[in-house]
Amino acid sequence: SMSGSENKITGARLLIELMEEAGIEVCFGYPGGAILPFYDELYKSKIKHYLVRHEQGAIHMAEGYARATGKIGVCIATSGPGATNLITGLADAKMDSIPILAITGQVSTSAIGTDAFQEADIFGITIPITKYNALMRSADDIARHFEEAYKIAIGGRPGPVLLDFPKDIQTQLTSVRKAPKLKIASHH
């Protein structure tokens, strides 16, 4: 049956698989507690990770990579101060039309809005300086959010997108590996 747990993978594993399928080969980042389940899967993947000394370096390196290759630049940070350290780079990428995918760790969904340790509302903070951003509240939403973010980052006038990834959603199991086809009602 399709509902069996043998067909399920963690949110972290799924995001890595989606990145690999999209042809992402390189990323820049700095690990921290809230993004560690994702890093565990990243280390098992074929994606090359460049460890930076500061998250602002990660996003500017991702911008340089995108400018030099024409591909999307990917950067990774943990929650709170890790995520807020990406802000100058996100604003720069939006001004200069550089396709960037920022992946940030976030506190577990049950702790969001409680002023938890290393919590920041990176979704709210980055609305004006991203083309698309999302707080992933279920592992079942990851495929849809990744597909939308990726298409929007590289489509039309390119620019930065951000996926905020709560720690519990990174370890949550899902069998939804592809974005559902959008059902758009016809207008008469």
Side-chain angles (χ1 to χ4, degrees), residues 25 29 35 53 65 81 83 100 104 107 111 133 140 149 163 165-166:
E25 298 169 340
I35 194 69
R53 295 292 169 265
Y65 174 86
I100 294 290
T104 53
V107 299
N133 72 359
D140 291 347
L163 296 176
F165 206 0

Side-chain angles (χ1 to χ4, degrees), residues 6 27 32 36 38-41 51 53 64 77 81 88 111 125 127 129 140 152 157 159 161 188:
E6 71 279 355
C27 63
L36 283 183
F38 179 76
Y39 263 91
D40 288 340
E41 291 300 333
L51 177 67
R53 295 292 169 265
T88 298
I125 290 166
I127 287 169
I129 52 169
D140 291 347
I152 289 168
R157 178 178 171 175
V161 297
H188 297 292

Side-chain angles (χ1 to χ4, degrees), residues 49-70:
H49 176 265
Y50 289 92
L51 177 67
V52 299
R53 295 292 169 265
H54 189 285
E55 294 86 0
Q56 190 172 337
I59 191 161
H60 289 314
M61 289 160 80
E63 285 187 284
Y65 174 86
R67 283 181 188 269
T69 65

Side-chain angles (χ1 to χ4, degrees), residues 21 23 35 47 49 57 71-72 95-96 132-133 154 161 165:
E21 285 168 23
I35 194 69
I47 299 170
H49 176 265
K71 298 175 181 175
I72 195 166
M95 295 292 286
D96 288 356
Y132 176 95
N133 72 359
I154 63 173
V161 297
F165 206 0

Side-chain angles (χ1 to χ4, degrees), residues 8-167:
K8 296 189 174 187
I9 56 171
T10 66
R13 178 75 221 147
L14 174 59
L15 186 53
I16 290 290
E17 288 185 5
L18 294 167
M19 289 167 65
E20 288 176 335
E21 285 168 23
I24 292 166
E25 298 169 340
V26 171
C27 63
F28 306 87
Y30 195 86
I35 194 69
L36 283 183
F38 179 76
Y39 263 91
D40 288 340
E41 291 300 333
L42 178 60
Y43 289 133
K44 295 177 201 167
S45 79
K46 296 185 184 77
I47 299 170
K48 183 161 176 55
H49 176 265
Y50 289 92
L51 177 67
V52 299
R53 295 292 169 265
H54 189 285
E55 294 86 0
Q56 190 172 337
I59 191 161
H60 289 314
M61 289 160 80
E63 285 187 284
Y65 174 86
R67 283 181 188 269
T69 65
K71 298 175 181 175
I72 195 166
V74 180
C75 61
I76 305 161
T78 194
S79 63
T84 58
N85 280 341
L86 299 176
I87 285 171
T88 298
L90 289 169
D92 189 54
K94 188 147 189 287
M95 295 292 286
D96 288 356
S97 306
I98 301 169
I100 294 290
L101 170 62
I103 299 165
T104 53
Q106 182 53 279
V107 299
S108 291
T109 51
S110 61
I112 291 171
T114 67
D115 290 333
F117 177 69
Q118 290 206 336
E119 183 193 358
D121 177 15
I122 202 67
F123 172 81
I125 290 166
T126 60
I127 287 169
I129 52 169
T130 53
K131 281 184 76 185
Y132 176 95
N133 72 359
L135 170 57
M136 301 195 286
R137 290 188 172 272
S138 165
D140 291 347
D141 295 334
I142 293 168
R144 177 176 62 87
H145 283 311
F146 175 81
E147 188 174 303
E148 288 181 8
Y150 186 85
K151 282 179 178 169
I152 289 168
I154 63 173
R157 178 178 171 175
V161 297
L162 183 142
L163 296 176
D164 200 26
F165 206 0
K167 193 170 188 181

